[in-house]
Amino acid sequence: MRISLGDVSLWFDVSGPSVIPQGDTTAERPVVVAIHGGPGLDHMTVKSALGPLAEDFQVVYLDLRGHGRSDHSSAEFWNMQTWADDLRRLCDALGLDKPVVLGSSFGGNVALTYAGLFPDHPGGVILASTTGARSDPQRVIEAFGRLGGPEAAAVARRTYADKTGDYQAEFIRVCYPLYSATPGWAGESRQSLARMIKNIDVSLHYASQQASGFDPWTVTAAVRCPVLVLTGEDDPI
């Protein structure tokens, strides 16, 4: 489905009902809003992993502005503050009161920014496998080396140094399958990537123009809602 927020139209999808029968009455189920990885990818980065949540929650997936099936808008709006504000406005438009927002990877940067800029809005935030926009490239390169050997480390090093996006395809081929040690992940990740709508322009713009301009951690003192941080020691990113 699509929803207009005035200056942008965002695409979203929903898994699981919001209201379920309970004896002679009904009960509303809690809502989780899932923010995808990237930048430059779409909601397929999280949909398969979060599928089981629909048994107990209503899960809302969206493509951020500039991503996937949402309006691409223009580069001047591809930044953390705009994405966080879009998230707030989307929840308001859908009537989601105190949503739990789950941000995975790059989506965690957006979720953290949203919680800091609009502290009264979320009911809770989950930061899953994310740096929250603070990354140590050398440690990442070393981690890929431990998991995938010298080739993976070399590809990660070239990708971090690259400003053109020329090594993105190589990184996806060699390094993306190393994101998880879960059995079957390599095949699942290839299939998931094939399904995604990719926008390399967003990725390059964010890396070159935005990543160093705003640090989501600068607004963490304002966060009031509960925050759950999920990570794993074998996660190379």
Side-chain angles (χ1 to χ4, degrees):
M1 293 173 279
R2 299 180 66 89
I3 190 165
S4 174
L5 301 182
D7 66 319
V8 69
S9 175
L10 298 183
W11 180 96
F12 71 98
D13 196 6
V14 178
S15 292
S18 64
V19 177
I20 58 172
Q22 196 172 75
D24 293 335
T25 184
T26 59
E28 291 191 14
R29 301 203 304 174
V31 177
V32 175
V33 180
I35 312 299
H36 59 79
L41 303 178
D42 68 8
H43 72 287
M44 294 305 297
T45 64
V46 292
K47 195 163 193 181
S48 61
L50 299 183
L53 284 182
E55 297 177 9
D56 299 290
F57 302 87
Q58 183 176 66
V59 186
V60 177
Y61 303 92
L62 75 146
D63 288 344
L64 295 167
R65 178 194 300 248
H67 296 76
R69 293 167 174 82
S70 288
D71 285 356
H72 281 193
S73 184
S74 57
E76 63 184 299
F77 297 109
W78 297 342
N79 57 69
M80 280 295 144
Q81 296 93 325
T82 299
W83 287 320
D85 189 51
D86 285 349
L87 171 59
R88 176 189 64 87
R89 293 191 295 152
L90 173 80
C91 291
D92 287 347
L94 296 179
L96 304 181
D97 183 44
K98 297 292 184 181
V100 173
V101 174
L102 185 152
S104 172
S105 189
F106 167 76
N109 307 1
V110 179
L112 183 58
T113 303
Y114 154 77
L117 294 182
F118 310 105
D120 295 325
H121 204 268
V125 166
I126 301 170
L127 303 177
S129 299
T130 180
T131 67
R134 285 188 177 175
S135 182
D136 183 338
Q138 186 54 41
R139 289 183 65 191
V140 172
I141 292 166
E142 291 170 358
F144 276 117
R146 288 195 304 272
L147 295 170
E151 181 191 14
V155 170
R157 183 175 293 106
R158 287 195 292 270
T159 303
Y160 268 96
D162 177 37
K163 304 300 182 185
T164 65
D166 292 345
Y167 292 102
Q168 287 289 328
E170 187 180 32
F171 181 87
I172 287 174
R173 178 181 63 82
V174 175
C175 295
Y176 199 80
L178 302 173
Y179 273 33
S180 172
T182 303
W185 163 254
E188 181 183 329
S189 68
R190 282 192 293 270
Q191 189 174 60
S192 178
L193 281 163
R195 293 169 176 163
M196 290 177 198
I197 297 173
K198 306 174 186 68
N199 184 356
I200 188 66
D201 291 340
V202 175
S203 179
L204 294 177
H205 175 80
Y206 180 76
S208 63
Q209 304 294 324
Q210 295 294 328
S212 62
F214 173 75
D215 182 356
W217 287 93
T218 62
V219 298
T220 54
V223 176
R224 297 195 187 100
C225 68
V227 178
L228 173 65
V229 179
L230 301 175
T231 188
E233 65 177 341
D234 292 329
D235 177 353
I237 296 291

